[in-house]
């Protein structure tokens, strides 16, 4: 990926690269999808399935699992602290980026995304298997706590960012940003009471970062979108949000790994928190 | 309008009986451990692409559209026999999710031959019995859509029949 001049080209690998590293014992390929049964219909040989909801989120409180629970997820998938994890999935890698971001929350830094995701792998006619791999249990030393402060934003921080007029980007569809709908096309209304966006947020839909085949655009194209048009600057503190944090994970990956921004946080509470919160300021239009 | 052949709502709630073919599918899924249940859903999903119209078939109603509730276009085709038995054919766009595909094949088989009135009476509470409560909880948006579309086309058929009767 060095030909695209990304800030961290090592974080993005091609389908071809993955196909050449299927037997690499230091690597674990992880599929993470919106379609919960898609992995079961066929997946990259040797890949494991980690579900963004049932594996990575607490099943009672709206939050992520504990570091100890994360260590257990890794160990049962044969992932140790020094394992490089390559994520891929459906929907242009939304959930793959989300899973990668959650891995980073737990301090796992050896992470990569397969550019183009599952759709590109399938479109290229590459092999899928239904055989579920079984690995020797990994040894994962859990971190003492999550790295929430570094890469995750909460309501109060997004509010402060909004009031200060600092960089805040809304990566949802334009209609969601304008408050015309409270959910993206093709998705049900999931109980958000108000539509609109966080005051002072700029609308930069996630999709602008990818080409038709779901691969990421070049660094020059990305700079034009995020810097020339949206007004972001490297070194700025940026908060990205969407509806539940999956599309903004995609943008978080773009800003962090492809453009090299060092202070980007994902507000995973996103619009399902903000649009329901009593008294939260909202702009429309 | 006839009473459903498998009993009233009250009787159904007491005995938890669904239309015959659907009941067999439900009973099978309820007997399976989670891993096999998942495997069966994958098998049904694979069969979903065979549920489309066959060459030469004609239909009383066709309803092809892309709704917000589903990730791709779904076409529902209904033929009602002189004995009022429904036959469904369904086409699915490539982006339709696997659970939706599985429910398509299950419902085409499970509701085959029921009258439009009976289709309208089929309760949605069988879905967790097939899919499992956990999958319904996690991905509820995908599992009820096809049943809603099938009931929708049955309702249109009944409305047209009613209109024709009034006009006659």
């Amino acid at each position: 990926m060095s030909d695209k001049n990304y800030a961290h080209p090592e974080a993005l690998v091609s389908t071809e690269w993955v196909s050449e590293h299927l037997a690499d014992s230091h690597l674990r390929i992880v599929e993470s999808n919106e379609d919960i049964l898609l992995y079961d219909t066929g997946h990259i040989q040797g890949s494991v399935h980690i579900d963004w909801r049932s594996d990575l989120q607490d099943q009672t409180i709206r939050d992520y699992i504990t570091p100890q629970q994360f260590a257990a997820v890794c160990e049962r998938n044969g992932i140790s602290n020094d394992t490089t994890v390559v994520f891929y999935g459906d929907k242009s890698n939304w959930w793959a980026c989300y899973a990668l971001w959650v891995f980073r929350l737990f301090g796992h830094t050896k992470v990569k995304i397969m550019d183009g995701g599952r759709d590109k792998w399938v479109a290229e006619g590459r092999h899928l298997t239904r055989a579920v791999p079984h690995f020797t249990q990994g040894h994962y030393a859990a971190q003492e706590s999550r790295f929430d402060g570094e890469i995750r934003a909460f309501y109060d921080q997004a509010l402060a960012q909004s009031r200060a007029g600092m960089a805040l980007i809304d990566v949802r569809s334009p209609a969601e940003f304008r408050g015309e709908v409270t959910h993206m096309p093709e998705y049900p209304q999931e109980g958000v009471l108000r539509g609109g966006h966080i005051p002072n947020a700029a609308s930069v839909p996630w999709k602008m970062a990818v080409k038709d085949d779901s691969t990421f655009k070049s660094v020059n194209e990305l700079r034009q979108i995020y810097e020339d048009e949206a007004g972001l600057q490297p070194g700025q503190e940026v908060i990205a949000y969407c509806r539940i944090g999956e599309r903004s994970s995609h943008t978080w990956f773009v800003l962090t790994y492809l453009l090299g921004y060092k202070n980007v946080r994902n507000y995973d509470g996103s619009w399902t928190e903000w649009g329901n919160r009593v008294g939260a300021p909202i702009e429309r239009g | 309008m006839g009473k459903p052949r498998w009993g009233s709502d009250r009787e159904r709630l007491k005995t938890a009986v669904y239309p015959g073919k659907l009941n067999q599918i439900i009973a099978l899924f309820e007997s399976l451990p989670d891993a096999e249940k998942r495997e069966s859903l994958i098998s049904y999903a694979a069969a979903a692409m065979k549920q489309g119209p066959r060459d030469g078939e004609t239909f009383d109603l066709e309803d092809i559209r892309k709704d917000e509730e589903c990730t791709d276009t779904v076409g529902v085709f209904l033929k009602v026999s002189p004995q009022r038995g429904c036959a469904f054919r369904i086409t699915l766009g490539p982006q339709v999710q696997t659970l939706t595909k599985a429910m398509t094949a299950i419902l085409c088989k499970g509701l085959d031959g029921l009258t439009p009135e009976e289709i309208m009476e089929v309760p949605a509470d069988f879905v967790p019995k097939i899919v499992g409560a956990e999958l319904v909880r996690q991905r509820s948006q995908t599992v009820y859509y096809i049943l809603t579309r099938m009931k929708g086309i049955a309702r249109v058929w009944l409305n047209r029949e009613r209109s024709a009767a009034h006009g006659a």
Side-chain angles (χ1 to χ4, degrees), chain A residues 47-172:
Chain A
S47 67
V48 296
H49 180 221
I50 293 184
D51 185 61
W52 60 277
R53 186 157 176 172
S54 58
D55 290 319
L56 299 177
Q57 293 190 349
D58 185 276
Q59 297 304 296
T60 306
I61 298 169
R62 185 177 177 184
D63 204 349
Y64 298 99
I65 52 178
T66 64
Q68 291 70 31
Q69 290 169 322
F70 175 75
V73 168
C74 288
E75 288 184 348
R76 74 167 175 262
N77 285 294
I79 297 170
S80 301
N81 295 75
D82 61 350
T83 304
T84 296
V85 184
V86 180
F87 297 89
Y88 77 100
D90 63 359
K91 307 290 285 188
S92 300
N93 275 328
W94 285 359
W95 302 102
C97 289
Y98 183 88
L100 181 150
W101 176 74
V102 175
F103 266 62
R104 283 287 315 272
L105 275 183
F106 291 100
H108 198 103
T109 55
K110 290 187 167 184
V111 288
K112 300 175 188 291
I113 287 286
M114 185 178 84
D115 203 14
R118 183 184 166 103
D119 285 347
K120 187 165 191 288
W121 181 275
V122 172
E124 291 170 347
R126 296 184 187 275
H127 178 65
L128 294 175
T129 179
R130 293 198 61 209
V132 176
H134 296 283
F135 297 105
T136 307
Q137 178 144 329
H139 297 285
Y140 207 97
Q143 299 283 337
E144 283 185 16
S145 60
R146 292 191 309 245
F147 288 74
D148 285 357
E150 283 75 12
I151 60 170
R152 187 182 186 194
F154 293 90
Y155 173 83
D156 289 339
Q157 294 160 333
L159 181 64
Q161 193 98 342
S162 166
R163 286 180 172 157
M166 294 167 69
L168 191 59
I169 56 171
D170 184 319
V171 312
R172 297 173 302 161

Side-chain angles (χ1 to χ4, degrees), chain A residues 180-277:
Chain A
E180 294 163 4
V181 297
T182 51
H183 55 94
M184 65 186 125
E186 297 150 13
Y187 287 74
Q189 217 287 22
E190 289 182 306
V192 178
L193 296 174
R194 292 289 185 272
H197 57 267
I198 299 176
N200 295 320
S203 173
V204 191
W206 72 274
K207 198 166 191 167
M208 296 178 74
V210 296
K211 297 184 279 193
D212 289 343
D213 66 354
S214 295
T215 58
F216 291 103
K217 290 180 178 173
S218 70
V219 78
N220 287 339
E221 291 171 304
L222 294 174
R223 283 209 179 101
Q224 186 177 343
I225 294 161
Y226 291 98
E227 295 173 5
D228 299 348
E229 294 167 16
L232 298 184
Q233 293 168 10
Q236 267 185 323
E237 285 185 25
V238 181
I239 292 177
Y241 73 95
C242 58
R243 183 182 58 111
I244 54 172
E246 86 291 18
R247 288 174 286 178
S248 44
S249 296
H250 189 275
T251 299
W252 174 86
F253 179 84
V254 170
L255 295 174
T256 302
Y257 284 101
L258 305 187
L259 291 180
Y261 284 42
K262 297 191 187 316
N263 294 303
V264 186
R265 284 179 292 164
N266 181 21
Y267 171 34
D268 59 286
S270 278
W271 198 254
T272 51
E273 178 178 49
W274 196 282
N276 279 326
R277 179 125 176 174

Side-chain angles (χ1 to χ4, degrees), chain B residues 114-125:
Chain B
L114 296 183
T115 67
E117 291 88 347
E118 289 170 332
I119 299 285
M120 296 301 296
E121 293 289 331
V122 173
D125 61 2

